[in-house]
Amino acid sequence: MPKKQNINSSRRNFLAGSATVAGAAAAASVMPISIANANHTAADAKGLPSWTSWKKRSALIIHSDKGMETHRDAIGESVITPLRHVYIRNNMPTMSDAQIGNRNNWKLKVEGVKNPKTYTLAQLKQLAQRTEATVLQCSGNGRGFFAHKPRGSQWETGAAANLIWTGCPVSAIVKDCGGVVSGAKFMTSAGADMPKELDPKKALVERSVPIKAHKDALVAWEVNGVAIPNSHGGPLRMITPGYFGINNVKHIGKLAFTAKESSVKYMKSSYRISPIGKKGSQYPSCWEMPVKSWITSPLKSAKSGNVVVSGVAMGGTRKASSIKVSVDGGKSWKSAKFTGPDMGKFAWRRFVFETKLKPGTYKIVSKASAGGKSQPKLRMENRRGYLHNGWLDHGVDVTVS
Ligand SMILES: Nc1nc2c(c(=O)[nH]1)N[C@H]1C(S)=C(S)[C@@H](COP(=O)(O)O)O[C@H]1N2
Ligand SMILES: [Mo]
């Protein structure tokens, strides 16, 4: 029998430090779960919006009609996140089958290259293929831990997933188009999901990343072995390994190599890391992800004796090189072990730490290192609650009995 945890009370306890309206709503939407029982039934999806009714309801916390996050204990214990548990974050509504039409005829326009071209998805499949495992993570993952209650979904750890993508390397497209134009400094991707009646300056999801990111990037049509579902940006999605979620433009219709960053709202003013009380396009954009880790078990209680602490660690654009765990709130640290397959530097790794604990209360925290950098103790305060990788807030208070 799979062991069930009392998620209701664990969530309530966990949310105690971030008593926000959205946080309270999230706690109320929680149901006990057992990810071992992952059968897909109609009842499973009850309460999910119709465009994502194939998801597993009990694996998700619904923040709004545009955002749902994976429960902290529902990313699974293998290295890859089950698709039915993966978070969703939409700025624009997910495109429907009717809007998308025949997937193989989906078009990608390529500009800012010597010979601009428009490819169909079928042509891209014939051009080149590569598979890459990456962490997809929202810039605001961990926002729920900020004390100043930034506007936006109060994500804790679950706006993140580790996924296997297959697609055409952007470098192969660039080569096929004769190289990028001189002076190009950015790779700019635009989604086709903006409703036509809206003003592109305000509603077009167009993102620019430094041009060096194109070397690792894919335009992907497959995730975890299936065609990318519409809600995750099918039939074609930009994947920028190591870069935050927003740069992974769903429903990509245009790829351009540009001298300047896009001037739409989602580039210029949104996703800027500014001090509390300040905003503007002069502040850095949410691009590369920093090193980060969090514990996924135990979250609230454990039996005394041998206790297995497990979690995930990611390095962003660098390989996660080590992971340490502390059971005394960071006073003393011990090395934990990475387990499972190493899926490359852009993926996260599972870790385990076995320890003997006597009855009592413990603050268990984890700290990962990558590329010579370790997670900081504290969050970097910023207006919108982006980039949280501080280890203290991500710790868990566990009662051992
Ligand atoms: N076209 C388009 N791409 C998009 C978005 C969007 O609304 N439209 N949302 C972005 C944001 S903020 C994130 S965090 C990720 C979420 O991806 P997911 O919903 O597949 O988890 O997609 C990004 N790409
Ligand atoms: Mo996001």
Side-chain angles (χ1 to χ4, degrees):
M1 276 290 285
K3 215 177 112 203
K4 290 200 180 179
Q5 289 191 357
N6 187 341
I7 307 299
N8 263 318
S9 54
S10 101
R11 290 287 307 179
R12 224 172 281 130
N13 183 42
F14 191 61
L15 284 163
S18 60
T20 62
V21 175
S29 72
V30 173
M31 296 188 249
I33 73 152
S34 162
I35 58 173
N37 288 335
N39 299 324
H40 191 181
T41 64
D44 255 7
K46 217 174 154 199
L48 288 172
S50 61
W51 50 273
T52 191
S53 59
W54 58 275
K55 289 273 177 185
K56 187 170 172 67
R57 174 65 187 89
S58 56
L60 298 163
I61 301 161
I62 311 289
H63 288 294
S64 71
D65 60 344
K66 291 174 171 171
M68 51 188 76
E69 102 171 77
T70 317
H71 278 294
R72 187 162 181 158
D73 60 356
I75 56 173
E77 273 144 31
S78 82
V79 68
I80 294 302
T81 315
L83 207 53
R84 292 182 56 232
H85 299 207
V86 174
Y87 84 100
I88 289 188
R89 165 69 180 119
N90 277 344
N91 288 291
M92 289 296 126
T94 281
M95 291 183 78
S96 65
D97 286 339
Q99 288 171 310
I100 288 169
N102 182 322
R103 291 185 154 237
N104 274 325
N105 294 342
W106 178 268
K107 288 191 175 58
L108 177 70
K109 203 171 173 190
V110 183
E111 294 177 354
V113 286
K114 302 253 163 69
N115 307 306
K117 280 186 196 174
T118 297
Y119 295 89
T120 63
L121 179 41
Q123 287 169 331
L124 289 170
K125 286 182 175 175
Q126 293 307 311
L127 186 64
Q129 296 196 1
R130 192 170 78 217
T131 295
E132 195 79 71
T134 76
V135 174
L136 182 69
Q137 180 185 213
C138 185
S139 327
N141 196 29
R143 178 183 287 136
F145 299 122
F146 282 79
H148 73 289
K149 298 178 186 139
R151 188 164 57 79
S153 294
Q154 299 299 300
W155 313 111
E156 290 185 348
T157 61
N162 196 41
L163 300 164
I164 304 185
W165 307 94
T166 294
C168 181
V170 170
S171 56
I173 298 175
V174 166
K175 196 171 165 218
D176 191 53
C177 294
V180 301
V181 292
S182 66
K185 291 204 177 77
F186 300 94
M187 174 174 76
T188 298
S189 308
D193 51 341
M194 186 193 81
K196 283 191 187 64
E197 64 276 14
L198 300 182
D199 175 0
K201 282 271 175 272
K202 292 182 187 145
L204 180 66
V205 180
E206 184 172 68
R207 289 288 302 177
S208 303
V209 291
I211 197 162
K212 66 172 187 205
H214 92 274
K215 295 201 182 97
D216 298 316
L218 302 175
V219 281
W221 50 80
E222 196 170 300
V223 61
N224 289 8
V226 296
I228 299 180
N230 300 359
S231 47
H232 289 299
L236 194 66
R237 178 175 194 168
M238 169 55 68
I239 296 300
T240 49
Y243 284 65
F244 275 110
I246 183 63
N247 306 293
N248 296 252
V249 172
K250 307 193 213 187
H251 315 291
I252 187 173
K254 194 172 111 182
L255 171 65
F257 294 88
T258 55
K260 291 197 170 134
E261 292 178 17
S262 170
S263 59
V264 303
K265 183 192 94 175
Y266 288 119
M267 188 70 219
K268 267 192 100 157
S269 46
S270 310
Y271 303 98
R272 295 284 167 173
I273 309 145
S274 60
I276 296 171
K278 298 203 166 141
K279 55 180 173 177
S281 58
Q282 69 274 31
Y283 295 106
S285 194
C286 292
W287 280 336
E288 293 175 305
M289 297 188 284
V291 58
K292 184 168 179 177
S293 70
W294 60 91
I295 286 156
T296 53
S297 176
L299 296 181
K300 197 202 169 212
S301 59
K303 284 263 163 292
S304 63
N306 201 51
V307 174
V308 176
V309 176
S310 66
V312 292
M314 54 175 281
T317 52
R318 289 131 193 265
K319 192 175 182 57
S321 54
S322 73
I323 174 76
K324 291 189 169 131
V325 169
S326 166
V327 297
D328 55 13
K331 287 191 197 87
S332 63
W333 296 91
K334 282 195 177 134
S335 287
K337 266 192 305 219
F338 287 127
T339 61
D342 178 349
M343 317 243 3
K345 64 176 176 177
F346 301 120
W348 69 34
R349 296 207 68 181
R350 299 280 341 180
F351 67 82
V352 292
F353 176 72
E354 289 175 35
T355 183
K356 289 232 177 337
L357 297 179
K358 295 189 190 123
T361 55
Y362 297 84
K363 182 155 200 84
I364 311 184
V365 288
S366 63
K367 181 165 67 172
S369 305
K373 280 192 181 162
S374 298
Q375 284 178 254
K377 178 177 183 178
L378 303 177
R379 58 182 179 259
M380 185 225 323
E381 299 293 354
N382 66 92
R383 176 175 168 260
R384 292 300 309 278
Y386 293 136
L387 266 71
H388 194 346
N389 70 337
W391 56 255
L392 187 61
D393 284 348
H394 286 86
V396 286
D397 295 307
V398 175
T399 303
V400 173
S401 54

